């Protein structure tokens, strides 16, 4: 079964750094992109950006460019989302999702289980 | 990039059909056949239910169907069941080589 398994919940203070992970299994990790999606408490989904694990090319939503960094280590089939200085407004659930774009098709599937990030002093 | 526009809520009785709209622009929904829909139950991760406007992944009920006209895409759920009560989100590729989601629609099965 194709799966994305994310790292566990995090509680951090403002100004701290953080990296969360998303490990793919049962598929060719470099054959698909990985996207990150934010869901703030009680709110909708927001596309943050994506990475091509085969060459680590990334592109970001303008809303998140410069605020987060997406990376990947294809040797261990894992993608990452990181912050250098967290803010309280970063408190949210973060999902990774496998992204297909090409061959005249586009979808996000499957999704990881989500990582809850809480930033509070 | 503004979120695609969806109604905040819709409701229907068991057995009825409902339609959720998703309105964008010619730079996203209207410009590409890359609209997908996701179902999210409370406390769960989203699940793909429609992709490429009209296609259904294996294992998704044929009660779910998608369509598009101009800058508006639609998700129709026929034969409503209690288990359909959830949040629904549309998504589209955009001309900025990014993706955008709709604001989400809460479906209540009466």
């Amino acid at each position: 079964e194709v799966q994305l398994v994310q790292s566990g919940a995090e509680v951090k203070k403002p100004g701290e750094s953080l990296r969360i992970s998303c490990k793919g299994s049962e598929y060719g990790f470099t054959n698909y992109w990985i996207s990150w999606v934010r869901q703030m408490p009680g709110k909708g989904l927001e596309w943050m950006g994506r990475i091509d694990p085969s060459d680590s090319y990334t592109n970001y939503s303008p809303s998140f460019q410069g605020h987060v960094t997406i990376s990947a280590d294809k040797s261990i089939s894992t993608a990452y989302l990181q912050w250098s200085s967290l803010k309280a407004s970063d408190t949210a659930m973060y999902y990774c999702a496998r992204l297909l774009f090409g061959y005249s098709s586009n979808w996000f599937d499957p999704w990881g289980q989500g990582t809850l990030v809480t930033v509070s002093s | 990039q503004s979120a695609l526009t969806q109604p905040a809520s819709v409701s229907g009785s068991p057995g009825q059909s409902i339609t959720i709209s998703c309105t964008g622009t010619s730079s996203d929904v209207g410009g590409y056949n890359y609209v997908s829909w996701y179902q999210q139950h409370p406390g769960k991760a989203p699940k793909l239910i429609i992709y490429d406007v009209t296609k259904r992944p294996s294992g998704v009920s044929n009660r779910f169907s998608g369509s598009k006209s101009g800058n508006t895409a639609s998700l129709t759920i026929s034969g409503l069941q209690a288990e359909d009560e959830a949040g629904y989100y549309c998504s589209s590729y955009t001309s900025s080589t990014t993706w955008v989601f709709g604001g989400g629609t809460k479906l209540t099965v009466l």
Side-chain angles (χ1 to χ4, degrees):
Chain A
E1 178 193 2
V2 174
Q3 285 193 95
L4 295 176
V5 177
Q6 298 184 226
S7 50
E10 301 274 2
V11 179
K12 292 288 188 179
K13 290 180 167 40
E16 292 186 331
S17 62
L18 175 65
R19 188 178 77 167
I20 62 176
S21 66
C22 168
K23 182 174 177 60
S25 62
E26 301 302 322
Y27 76 94
F29 189 68
T30 56
N31 293 336
Y32 299 83
W33 301 346
I34 294 286
S35 260
W36 287 94
V37 176
R38 182 175 79 175
Q39 187 167 38
M40 300 180 77
K43 302 297 184 182
L45 305 175
E46 300 173 89
W47 186 79
M48 301 176 71
R50 64 93 180 172
I51 187 166
D52 179 348
S54 68
D55 61 9
S56 289
Y57 178 83
T58 55
N59 70 305
Y60 297 87
S61 161
S63 299
F64 294 94
Q65 178 86 48
H67 297 289
V68 297
T69 301
I70 296 172
S71 60
D73 184 340
K74 62 185 178 183
S75 70
I76 55 172
S77 301
T78 300
Y80 303 97
L81 177 66
Q82 68 182 64
W83 296 259
S84 59
S85 181
L86 287 160
K87 303 175 184 177
S89 57
D90 292 317
T91 294
M93 181 71 82
Y94 293 89
Y95 293 101
C96 63
R98 187 178 67 162
L99 169 59
L100 174 73
F101 181 65
Y103 306 105
S104 298
S105 192
N106 171 225
W107 39 252
F108 297 95
D109 182 67
W111 293 58
Q113 82 276 21
T115 296
L116 181 62
V117 174
T118 303
V119 183
S120 175
S121 54
Chain B
Q1 181 73 51
S2 299
L4 306 174
T5 301
Q6 298 182 229
S9 63
V10 298
S11 62
S13 300
Q16 288 187 330
S17 294
I18 62 95
T19 297
I20 299 171
S21 61
C22 169
T23 301
T25 69
S26 58
S27 296
D28 37 63
V29 173
Y32 307 92
N33 287 324
Y34 289 147
V35 175
S36 50
W37 290 89
Y38 302 87
Q39 177 191 60
Q40 186 180 35
H41 286 106
K44 300 294 187 181
K47 172 190 171 186
L48 175 69
I49 55 173
I50 294 289
Y51 67 99
D52 299 346
V53 180
T54 62
K55 298 175 183 176
R56 216 172 29 251
S58 172
V60 172
S61 171
N62 59 11
R63 298 185 298 105
F64 294 91
S65 62
S67 62
K68 189 182 84 167
S69 178
N71 297 336
T72 298
S74 298
L75 172 70
T76 297
I77 308 174
S78 59
L80 269 180
Q81 299 179 0
E83 68 205 48
D84 299 331
E85 186 161 293
Y88 291 85
Y89 295 89
C90 60
S91 174
S92 176
Y93 176 70
T94 83
S95 60
S96 302
T97 65
T98 60
W99 279 262
V100 62
F101 286 95
T105 298
K106 178 177 170 52
L107 168 62
T108 300
V109 180
L110 302 170

